[in-house]
PDB file of all heavy atoms in Angstrom:
ATOM      1  N   PRO A 238     -19.760  23.996 -31.127  1.00  0.00           N
ATOM      2  CA  PRO A 238     -19.809  23.744 -29.678  1.00  0.00           C
ATOM      3  C   PRO A 238     -20.753  22.611 -29.327  1.00  0.00           C
ATOM      4  O   PRO A 238     -20.768  22.061 -28.279  1.00  0.00           O
ATOM      5  CB  PRO A 238     -20.134  25.157 -29.141  1.00  0.00           C
ATOM      6  CG  PRO A 238     -19.734  26.124 -30.152  1.00  0.00           C
ATOM      7  CD  PRO A 238     -19.996  25.303 -31.381  1.00  0.00           C
ATOM      8  N   ALA A 239     -21.833  22.478 -30.184  1.00  0.00           N
ATOM      9  CA  ALA A 239     -22.983  21.539 -29.859  1.00  0.00           C
ATOM     10  C   ALA A 239     -22.408  20.140 -29.707  1.00  0.00           C
ATOM     11  O   ALA A 239     -23.071  19.260 -29.079  1.00  0.00           O
ATOM     12  CB  ALA A 239     -24.012  21.628 -30.759  1.00  0.00           C
ATOM     13  N   SER A 240     -21.268  19.810 -30.329  1.00  0.00           N
ATOM     14  CA  SER A 240     -20.783  18.410 -30.305  1.00  0.00           C
ATOM     15  C   SER A 240     -19.627  18.219 -29.420  1.00  0.00           C
ATOM     16  O   SER A 240     -18.890  17.340 -29.549  1.00  0.00           O
ATOM     17  CB  SER A 240     -20.280  18.114 -31.714  1.00  0.00           C
ATOM     18  OG  SER A 240     -19.258  18.916 -32.155  1.00  0.00           O
ATOM     19  N   CYS A 241     -19.400  19.140 -28.339  1.00  0.00           N
ATOM     20  CA  CYS A 241     -18.335  19.012 -27.523  1.00  0.00           C
ATOM     21  C   CYS A 241     -18.610  17.871 -26.552  1.00  0.00           C
ATOM     22  O   CYS A 241     -19.569  17.305 -26.368  1.00  0.00           O
ATOM     23  CB  CYS A 241     -18.123  20.344 -26.808  1.00  0.00           C
ATOM     24  SG  CYS A 241     -19.580  20.822 -25.690  1.00  0.00           S
ATOM     25  N   PHE A 242     -17.384  17.561 -25.901  1.00  0.00           N
ATOM     26  CA  PHE A 242     -17.487  16.407 -24.976  1.00  0.00           C
ATOM     27  C   PHE A 242     -17.477  16.903 -23.514  1.00  0.00           C
ATOM     28  O   PHE A 242     -16.670  17.745 -23.085  1.00  0.00           O
ATOM     29  CB  PHE A 242     -16.225  15.535 -25.062  1.00  0.00           C
ATOM     30  CG  PHE A 242     -16.174  14.760 -26.367  1.00  0.00           C
ATOM     31  CD1 PHE A 242     -15.455  15.230 -27.473  1.00  0.00           C
ATOM     32  CD2 PHE A 242     -16.890  13.609 -26.529  1.00  0.00           C
ATOM     33  CE1 PHE A 242     -15.415  14.603 -28.673  1.00  0.00           C
ATOM     34  CE2 PHE A 242     -16.862  12.845 -27.763  1.00  0.00           C
ATOM     35  CZ  PHE A 242     -16.113  13.372 -28.783  1.00  0.00           C
ATOM     36  N   GLU A 243     -18.402  16.538 -22.701  1.00  0.00           N
ATOM     37  CA  GLU A 243     -18.479  16.770 -21.220  1.00  0.00           C
ATOM     38  C   GLU A 243     -17.735  15.752 -20.466  1.00  0.00           C
ATOM     39  O   GLU A 243     -18.406  14.874 -19.809  1.00  0.00           O
ATOM     40  CB  GLU A 243     -19.874  16.877 -20.872  1.00  0.00           C
ATOM     41  CG  GLU A 243     -20.633  18.067 -21.311  1.00  0.00           C
ATOM     42  CD  GLU A 243     -20.265  19.453 -20.560  1.00  0.00           C
ATOM     43  OE1 GLU A 243     -19.400  19.252 -19.790  1.00  0.00           O
ATOM     44  OE2 GLU A 243     -20.906  20.407 -20.754  1.00  0.00           O
ATOM     45  N   VAL A 244     -16.454  15.708 -20.647  1.00  0.00           N
ATOM     46  CA  VAL A 244     -15.605  14.738 -19.856  1.00  0.00           C
ATOM     47  C   VAL A 244     -14.580  15.626 -19.032  1.00  0.00           C
ATOM     48  O   VAL A 244     -13.939  16.407 -19.474  1.00  0.00           O
ATOM     49  CB  VAL A 244     -14.773  13.828 -20.878  1.00  0.00           C
ATOM     50  CG1 VAL A 244     -13.844  12.928 -20.201  1.00  0.00           C
ATOM     51  CG2 VAL A 244     -15.786  13.136 -21.724  1.00  0.00           C
ATOM     52  N   ARG A 245     -14.479  15.150 -17.831  1.00  0.00           N
ATOM     53  CA  ARG A 245     -13.468  15.873 -16.895  1.00  0.00           C
ATOM     54  C   ARG A 245     -12.158  15.282 -17.188  1.00  0.00           C
ATOM     55  O   ARG A 245     -11.956  14.059 -17.261  1.00  0.00           O
ATOM     56  CB  ARG A 245     -13.883  15.593 -15.428  1.00  0.00           C
ATOM     57  CG  ARG A 245     -12.858  16.177 -14.534  1.00  0.00           C
ATOM     58  CD  ARG A 245     -13.229  16.127 -13.063  1.00  0.00           C
ATOM     59  NE  ARG A 245     -12.114  16.565 -12.226  1.00  0.00           N
ATOM     60  CZ  ARG A 245     -12.132  16.686 -10.901  1.00  0.00           C
ATOM     61  NH1 ARG A 245     -13.177  16.558 -10.188  1.00  0.00           N
ATOM     62  NH2 ARG A 245     -11.043  17.002 -10.295  1.00  0.00           N
ATOM     63  N   ASP A 246     -11.170  16.112 -17.278  1.00  0.00           N
ATOM     64  CA  ASP A 246      -9.798  15.793 -17.393  1.00  0.00           C
ATOM     65  C   ASP A 246      -9.383  14.835 -18.583  1.00  0.00           C
ATOM     66  O   ASP A 246      -8.664  13.789 -18.347  1.00  0.00           O
ATOM     67  CB  ASP A 246      -9.250  15.096 -16.132  1.00  0.00           C
ATOM     68  CG  ASP A 246      -9.624  15.947 -14.911  1.00  0.00           C
ATOM     69  OD1 ASP A 246      -9.453  17.250 -14.831  1.00  0.00           O
ATOM     70  OD2 ASP A 246     -10.102  15.274 -13.879  1.00  0.00           O
ATOM     71  N   PRO A 247      -9.940  15.046 -19.758  1.00  0.00           N
ATOM     72  CA  PRO A 247      -9.610  14.145 -20.801  1.00  0.00           C
ATOM     73  C   PRO A 247      -8.132  13.974 -21.197  1.00  0.00           C
ATOM     74  O   PRO A 247      -7.681  12.941 -21.559  1.00  0.00           O
ATOM     75  CB  PRO A 247     -10.479  14.626 -22.055  1.00  0.00           C
ATOM     76  CG  PRO A 247     -10.633  16.087 -21.724  1.00  0.00           C
ATOM     77  CD  PRO A 247     -10.697  16.157 -20.186  1.00  0.00           C
ATOM     78  N   LEU A 248      -7.394  15.119 -21.048  1.00  0.00           N
ATOM     79  CA  LEU A 248      -5.938  14.923 -21.491  1.00  0.00           C
ATOM     80  C   LEU A 248      -5.274  14.081 -20.447  1.00  0.00           C
ATOM     81  O   LEU A 248      -4.297  13.368 -20.847  1.00  0.00           O
ATOM     82  CB  LEU A 248      -5.359  16.440 -21.456  1.00  0.00           C
ATOM     83  CG  LEU A 248      -3.967  16.541 -21.790  1.00  0.00           C
ATOM     84  CD1 LEU A 248      -3.688  15.964 -23.283  1.00  0.00           C
ATOM     85  CD2 LEU A 248      -3.425  17.895 -21.838  1.00  0.00           C
ATOM     86  N   ASP A 249      -5.490  14.157 -19.215  1.00  0.00           N
ATOM     87  CA  ASP A 249      -4.844  13.358 -18.213  1.00  0.00           C
ATOM     88  C   ASP A 249      -5.227  11.877 -18.369  1.00  0.00           C
ATOM     89  O   ASP A 249      -4.490  10.935 -18.106  1.00  0.00           O
ATOM     90  CB  ASP A 249      -5.186  13.979 -16.802  1.00  0.00           C
ATOM     91  CG  ASP A 249      -4.015  13.626 -15.841  1.00  0.00           C
ATOM     92  OD1 ASP A 249      -2.854  13.830 -16.211  1.00  0.00           O
ATOM     93  OD2 ASP A 249      -4.319  13.232 -14.647  1.00  0.00           O
ATOM     94  N   LEU A 250      -6.463  11.663 -18.799  1.00  0.00           N
ATOM     95  CA  LEU A 250      -6.824  10.253 -19.080  1.00  0.00           C
ATOM     96  C   LEU A 250      -5.885   9.734 -20.290  1.00  0.00           C
ATOM     97  O   LEU A 250      -5.635   8.516 -20.329  1.00  0.00           O
ATOM     98  CB  LEU A 250      -8.302  10.089 -19.469  1.00  0.00           C
ATOM     99  CG  LEU A 250      -9.271  10.426 -18.358  1.00  0.00           C
ATOM    100  CD1 LEU A 250     -10.723  10.406 -18.840  1.00  0.00           C
ATOM    101  CD2 LEU A 250      -9.140   9.420 -17.112  1.00  0.00           C
ATOM    102  N   ALA A 251      -5.755  10.537 -21.282  1.00  0.00           N
ATOM    103  CA  ALA A 251      -4.731  10.201 -22.293  1.00  0.00           C
ATOM    104  C   ALA A 251      -3.363   9.914 -21.819  1.00  0.00           C
ATOM    105  O   ALA A 251      -2.667   9.055 -22.297  1.00  0.00           O
ATOM    106  CB  ALA A 251      -4.773  11.262 -23.385  1.00  0.00           C
ATOM    107  N   VAL A 252      -2.965  10.730 -20.812  1.00  0.00           N
ATOM    108  CA  VAL A 252      -1.594  10.561 -20.235  1.00  0.00           C
ATOM    109  C   VAL A 252      -1.544   9.209 -19.576  1.00  0.00           C
ATOM    110  O   VAL A 252      -0.650   8.428 -19.711  1.00  0.00           O
ATOM    111  CB  VAL A 252      -1.352  11.726 -19.260  1.00  0.00           C
ATOM    112  CG1 VAL A 252      -0.011  11.394 -18.530  1.00  0.00           C
ATOM    113  CG2 VAL A 252      -1.216  12.907 -19.990  1.00  0.00           C
ATOM    114  N   VAL A 253      -2.550   8.856 -18.868  1.00  0.00           N
ATOM    115  CA  VAL A 253      -2.615   7.497 -18.101  1.00  0.00           C
ATOM    116  C   VAL A 253      -2.578   6.377 -19.256  1.00  0.00           C
ATOM    117  O   VAL A 253      -1.904   5.414 -19.077  1.00  0.00           O
ATOM    118  CB  VAL A 253      -3.856   7.365 -17.192  1.00  0.00           C
ATOM    119  CG1 VAL A 253      -3.960   6.005 -16.702  1.00  0.00           C
ATOM    120  CG2 VAL A 253      -3.756   8.366 -16.120  1.00  0.00           C
ATOM    121  N   ALA A 254      -3.490   6.557 -20.167  1.00  0.00           N
ATOM    122  CA  ALA A 254      -3.492   5.475 -21.263  1.00  0.00           C
ATOM    123  C   ALA A 254      -2.229   5.372 -21.861  1.00  0.00           C
ATOM    124  O   ALA A 254      -1.748   4.166 -22.318  1.00  0.00           O
ATOM    125  CB  ALA A 254      -4.575   5.901 -22.316  1.00  0.00           C
ATOM    126  N   SER A 255      -1.617   6.410 -22.171  1.00  0.00           N
ATOM    127  CA  SER A 255      -0.189   6.458 -22.746  1.00  0.00           C
ATOM    128  C   SER A 255       0.815   5.638 -21.965  1.00  0.00           C
ATOM    129  O   SER A 255       1.648   4.845 -22.445  1.00  0.00           O
ATOM    130  CB  SER A 255       0.266   7.816 -23.151  1.00  0.00           C
ATOM    131  OG  SER A 255       1.500   7.766 -23.888  1.00  0.00           O
ATOM    132  N   ALA A 256       0.796   5.986 -20.742  1.00  0.00           N
ATOM    133  CA  ALA A 256       1.805   5.295 -19.746  1.00  0.00           C
ATOM    134  C   ALA A 256       1.466   3.855 -19.773  1.00  0.00           C
ATOM    135  O   ALA A 256       2.394   2.906 -19.739  1.00  0.00           O
ATOM    136  CB  ALA A 256       1.554   5.943 -18.362  1.00  0.00           C
ATOM    137  N   LEU A 257       0.131   3.407 -19.809  1.00  0.00           N
ATOM    138  CA  LEU A 257      -0.275   2.018 -19.903  1.00  0.00           C
ATOM    139  C   LEU A 257       0.182   1.407 -21.054  1.00  0.00           C
ATOM    140  O   LEU A 257       0.774   0.205 -21.050  1.00  0.00           O
ATOM    141  CB  LEU A 257      -1.758   1.920 -19.597  1.00  0.00           C
ATOM    142  CG  LEU A 257      -2.275   2.109 -18.227  1.00  0.00           C
ATOM    143  CD1 LEU A 257      -3.702   2.414 -18.234  1.00  0.00           C
ATOM    144  CD2 LEU A 257      -2.025   0.854 -17.310  1.00  0.00           C
ATOM    145  N   MET A 258       0.030   1.979 -22.152  1.00  0.00           N
ATOM    146  CA  MET A 258       0.367   1.544 -23.431  1.00  0.00           C
ATOM    147  C   MET A 258       1.943   1.230 -23.565  1.00  0.00           C
ATOM    148  O   MET A 258       2.354   0.143 -23.951  1.00  0.00           O
ATOM    149  CB  MET A 258      -0.024   2.423 -24.633  1.00  0.00           C
ATOM    150  CG  MET A 258       0.392   2.128 -25.910  1.00  0.00           C
ATOM    151  SD  MET A 258      -0.168   3.098 -27.284  1.00  0.00           S
ATOM    152  CE  MET A 258       0.726   4.609 -26.944  1.00  0.00           C
ATOM    153  N   GLY A 259       2.676   2.348 -23.111  1.00  0.00           N
ATOM    154  CA  GLY A 259       4.117   2.251 -23.189  1.00  0.00           C
ATOM    155  C   GLY A 259       4.657   1.006 -22.233  1.00  0.00           C
ATOM    156  O   GLY A 259       5.505   0.242 -22.585  1.00  0.00           O
ATOM    157  N   ALA A 260       4.112   1.011 -21.100  1.00  0.00           N
ATOM    158  CA  ALA A 260       4.613  -0.108 -20.051  1.00  0.00           C
ATOM    159  C   ALA A 260       4.255  -1.430 -20.604  1.00  0.00           C
ATOM    160  O   ALA A 260       5.049  -2.375 -20.468  1.00  0.00           O
ATOM    161  CB  ALA A 260       3.878   0.158 -18.662  1.00  0.00           C
ATOM    162  N   CYS A 261       3.006  -1.617 -21.110  1.00  0.00           N
ATOM    163  CA  CYS A 261       2.544  -2.957 -21.666  1.00  0.00           C
ATOM    164  C   CYS A 261       3.464  -3.321 -22.930  1.00  0.00           C
ATOM    165  O   CYS A 261       3.769  -4.489 -23.096  1.00  0.00           O
ATOM    166  CB  CYS A 261       1.218  -2.968 -22.094  1.00  0.00           C
ATOM    167  SG  CYS A 261       0.054  -2.929 -20.605  1.00  0.00           S
ATOM    168  N   PHE A 262       3.816  -2.232 -23.733  1.00  0.00           N
ATOM    169  CA  PHE A 262       4.510  -2.659 -24.887  1.00  0.00           C
ATOM    170  C   PHE A 262       5.992  -3.097 -24.563  1.00  0.00           C
ATOM    171  O   PHE A 262       6.486  -4.015 -25.155  1.00  0.00           O
ATOM    172  CB  PHE A 262       4.603  -1.238 -25.837  1.00  0.00           C
ATOM    173  CG  PHE A 262       4.989  -1.515 -27.209  1.00  0.00           C
ATOM    174  CD1 PHE A 262       4.529  -2.728 -27.837  1.00  0.00           C
ATOM    175  CD2 PHE A 262       5.575  -0.558 -27.948  1.00  0.00           C
ATOM    176  CE1 PHE A 262       4.819  -2.945 -29.226  1.00  0.00           C
ATOM    177  CE2 PHE A 262       5.774  -0.668 -29.282  1.00  0.00           C
ATOM    178  CZ  PHE A 262       5.472  -1.849 -29.896  1.00  0.00           C
ATOM    179  N   GLY A 263       6.594  -2.390 -23.534  1.00  0.00           N
ATOM    180  CA  GLY A 263       7.961  -2.840 -23.014  1.00  0.00           C
ATOM    181  C   GLY A 263       7.800  -4.258 -22.508  1.00  0.00           C
ATOM    182  O   GLY A 263       8.666  -5.070 -22.631  1.00  0.00           O
ATOM    183  N   PHE A 264       6.756  -4.551 -21.741  1.00  0.00           N
ATOM    184  CA  PHE A 264       6.468  -5.749 -21.134  1.00  0.00           C
ATOM    185  C   PHE A 264       6.357  -6.906 -22.158  1.00  0.00           C
ATOM    186  O   PHE A 264       6.847  -8.016 -21.969  1.00  0.00           O
ATOM    187  CB  PHE A 264       5.458  -5.828 -20.220  1.00  0.00           C
ATOM    188  CG  PHE A 264       5.071  -7.136 -19.462  1.00  0.00           C
ATOM    189  CD1 PHE A 264       5.931  -7.434 -18.386  1.00  0.00           C
ATOM    190  CD2 PHE A 264       4.042  -7.942 -19.885  1.00  0.00           C
ATOM    191  CE1 PHE A 264       5.610  -8.801 -17.739  1.00  0.00           C
ATOM    192  CE2 PHE A 264       3.854  -9.222 -19.277  1.00  0.00           C
ATOM    193  CZ  PHE A 264       4.646  -9.625 -18.188  1.00  0.00           C
TER     194      PHE A 264
END
Side-chain angles (χ1 to χ4, degrees):
S240 65
C241 65
F242 292 98
E243 287 286 7
V244 176
R245 175 175 172 172
D246 313 316
L248 182 60
D249 210 40
L250 293 176
V252 172
V253 171
S255 178
L257 285 161
M258 177 179 64
C261 287
F262 203 28
F264 181 75

